[in-house]
Amino acid sequence: APFSAADVEALFSASPKGDALFKQGNMTSLSAFFVMDLEWPVVRLGDRGPIVKVLQFLLRSAGFGNMFSVDGYFGVRCRETLITFMEFAFNGPSSALRRTATLDVIPRRKAAAHDEDDTLFWAHLVPVLSLNSRGDGVRALQTVLSVRGYPRTHVDGYFGPLTLEKVRDYQAHRAARMIPVDGVVGLITWLNLVGVQKSSK
């Protein structure tokens, strides 16, 4: 059977469903979900801006935010924290990062392990969010919404009716494709929100 959007997102989760889907071995049908000309953004030492702030909120949401401030600056401490997260994801109890690292259809730049140009980490930092979610993951979402056509988005860490309305509007009118208009922010919605145009290299 063809993969659904929920199946694609399950591949990035530390779940029995993700393991079962991967063992099926039919990954070619995944390519339909990634025909949009988007890839996860590269963040390099010294970068500044809202996408860096999104990354910082996501690191905090994952429990890796003790060494830096959420200030939109990708400094040495933030970079070291990201490397720590990547090492944990590869070597920790979750097999999700190791599993999806083998999938060529995943939109990412390929680079050496822990290289700043390897963007695989994004897919494992972004949480699934929906109405009544709370925390730094929601702050990351609200931050990126504020620069994706919704400048009056209040960054308060609560996924309430106002955030839901913006998410549904984005899914319906601004996203590239392959996104259900359900108000749930999963992998494909995140890729559309933070993604950049694919490099021609």
Side-chain angles (χ1 to χ4, degrees):
F3 282 92
S4 68
D7 291 337
V8 175
E9 293 174 358
L11 281 167
F12 290 88
S13 66
S15 68
K17 180 179 180 181
D19 288 328
L21 288 168
F22 184 70
K23 289 175 182 177
Q24 288 179 12
N26 183 21
M27 296 295 107
T28 56
S29 59
L30 279 177
S31 59
F33 287 93
F34 298 113
V35 297
M36 70 275 283
D37 294 327
L38 295 173
E39 63 186 1
W40 300 103
V42 174
V43 180
R44 295 189 174 94
L45 192 65
D47 283 355
R48 297 178 183 271
I51 293 301
V52 175
K53 187 172 287 188
V54 168
L55 172 59
Q56 291 170 331
F57 276 131
L58 290 173
L59 284 169
R60 285 208 329 191
S61 177
F64 290 82
N66 297 328
M67 291 182 60
F68 58 85
S69 300
V70 179
D71 55 6
Y73 173 64
F74 193 66
V76 172
R77 289 186 177 184
C78 190
R79 183 177 184 274
E80 289 176 350
T81 301
L82 178 58
I83 291 172
T84 299
F85 168 79
M86 292 175 72
E87 290 174 342
F88 175 83
F90 270 111
N91 301 317
S94 170
S95 63
L97 189 58
R98 293 191 301 276
R99 180 172 66 230
T100 52
T102 69
L103 304 183
D104 288 338
V105 296
I106 302 305
R108 70 180 180 109
R109 292 170 181 256
K110 294 181 180 180
H114 313 320
D115 187 287
E116 63 185 1
D117 281 354
D118 191 330
T119 59
L120 179 64
F121 65 84
W122 282 101
H124 303 279
L125 270 177
V126 292
V128 177
L129 302 172
S130 58
L131 185 64
N132 294 322
S133 294
R134 295 178 182 270
D136 285 319
V138 178
R139 292 185 179 91
L141 168 64
Q142 292 166 333
T143 298
V144 73
L145 283 171
S146 72
V147 295
R148 292 292 185 264
Y150 308 93
R152 296 184 179 180
T153 302
H154 185 47
V155 181
D156 59 3
Y158 172 57
F159 195 132
L162 294 177
T163 299
L164 176 64
E165 179 182 354
K166 293 177 175 67
V167 167
R168 290 179 62 88
D169 183 78
Y170 179 84
Q171 291 173 329
H173 303 296
R174 298 177 184 270
R177 65 191 300 268
M178 299 303 294
I179 296 184
V181 184
D182 57 6
V184 177
V185 183
L187 174 70
I188 301 172
T189 299
W190 275 112
L191 176 60
N192 274 265
L193 282 166
V194 306
V196 297
Q197 290 296 307
K198 284 184 178 178
S199 171
S200 59
K201 295 180 180 180

